[in-house]
């Protein structure tokens, strides 16, 4: 029963980790380090319970495994902290791991009907070229999250003010930058 509850908790945390701004790698790392820390501090059943009186060997083995578990945990925490803090905070060190941390939801809807997206298009910016005779935008120069620029002609059906264009900019980014 306890294992079933733990398994349900693991599955639930992994599903929560598929939402934006929640990292599954943090959940999985915490689970692994917690398991290792638990192994290094677990209270074992006395060997006398099984009729084994090799007390010195048991104590040495217990000390070795606890020390080894503690060293593995500490070195893992230090190594993962160095890896975490060596990043720039914007780029993903594992681009192919993106779908393990976030899934655009709901997956069965069209691109413009999602509740949330797992791309960087919310950070895209653009500069518009304004036709002074008509007072309407004719072109947008989209600065994509990848660092490239895309020039897009403004459609007549799009909003013709800055606020309206800013609202549709993420969908324009998904359409033109993520090719």
């Amino acid at each position: 029963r306890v294992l079933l509850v733990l398994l349900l908790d693991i599955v639930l945390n992994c599903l929560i980790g598929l939402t934006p701004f929640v990292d599954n790698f943090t959940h999985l790392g915490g689970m692994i380090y917690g398991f290792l820390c638990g192994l290094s501090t677990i209270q074992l059943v006395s060997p006398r319970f099984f009729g084994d009186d090799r007390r010195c060997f048991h104590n040495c083995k217990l000390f070795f495994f606890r020390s080894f578990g503690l060293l593995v945990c500490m070195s893992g925490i230090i190594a993962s902290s160095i890896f975490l803090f060596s990043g720039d905070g914007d780029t993903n060190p594992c681009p192919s791991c993106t779908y393990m941390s976030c899934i655009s939801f709901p997956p069965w809807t069209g691109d413009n009907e999602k509740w949330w997206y797992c791309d960087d298009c919310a950070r895209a910016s653009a500069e518009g070229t304004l036709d002074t005779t008509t007072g309407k935008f004719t072109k947008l120069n989209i600065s994509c999250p990848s660092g490239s620029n895309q020039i897009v002609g403004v459609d007549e059906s799009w909003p013709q003010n800055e606020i309206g264009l800013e609202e549709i900019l993420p969908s324009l980014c998904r359409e033109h930058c993520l090719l």
Side-chain angles (χ1 to χ4, degrees):
R1 178 159 168 84
V2 172
L3 290 176
L4 183 65
V5 170
L6 285 174
L7 184 63
L8 181 65
D9 185 48
I10 290 169
V11 169
L12 183 65
N13 276 310
C14 287
L15 288 175
I16 291 171
L18 293 176
T19 61
F21 309 115
V22 178
D23 192 3
N24 255 347
F25 292 107
T26 305
H27 281 126
L28 295 176
M31 181 182 73
I32 290 168
Y33 289 135
F35 180 73
L36 290 175
C37 285
L39 280 181
S40 67
T41 60
I42 194 169
Q43 183 66 29
L44 299 177
V45 176
S46 171
R48 284 183 276 166
F49 179 78
F50 299 105
D52 190 2
D53 287 331
R54 294 177 286 173
R55 189 116 177 108
C56 181
F57 175 72
H58 172 71
N59 287 339
C60 290
K61 184 172 72 171
L62 182 65
F63 177 76
F64 171 76
F65 281 118
R66 284 186 175 176
S67 300
F68 180 73
L70 193 59
L71 286 174
V72 168
C73 282
M74 292 305 295
S75 60
I77 289 171
I78 290 170
S80 60
S81 296
I82 290 171
F83 182 72
L84 177 69
F85 291 120
S86 66
D88 60 5
D90 286 331
T91 56
N92 187 353
C94 179
S96 60
C97 301
T98 300
Y99 293 110
M100 186 176 169
S101 281
C102 187
I103 294 178
S104 297
F105 192 80
W108 55 85
T109 62
D111 282 341
N112 292 329
E113 299 171 0
K114 303 265 188 226
W115 297 347
W116 66 75
Y117 297 91
C118 300
D119 54 25
D120 291 332
C121 281
R123 297 184 313 147
S125 61
E127 291 182 10
T129 304
L130 187 64
D131 184 358
T132 55
T133 58
T134 62
K136 294 184 177 184
F137 287 99
T138 57
K139 289 189 285 187
L140 284 178
N141 184 3
I142 302 174
S143 298
C144 300
S146 63
S148 66
N149 288 336
Q150 296 289 329
I151 297 176
V152 178
V154 175
D155 193 82
E156 290 289 327
S157 63
W158 295 354
Q160 288 297 319
N161 56 21
E162 288 183 34
I163 295 171
L165 288 173
E166 282 179 7
E167 288 177 1
I168 65 167
L169 185 58
S171 61
L172 292 174
C173 170
R174 286 182 199 95
E175 186 178 327
H176 297 284
C177 293
L178 303 177
L179 301 175

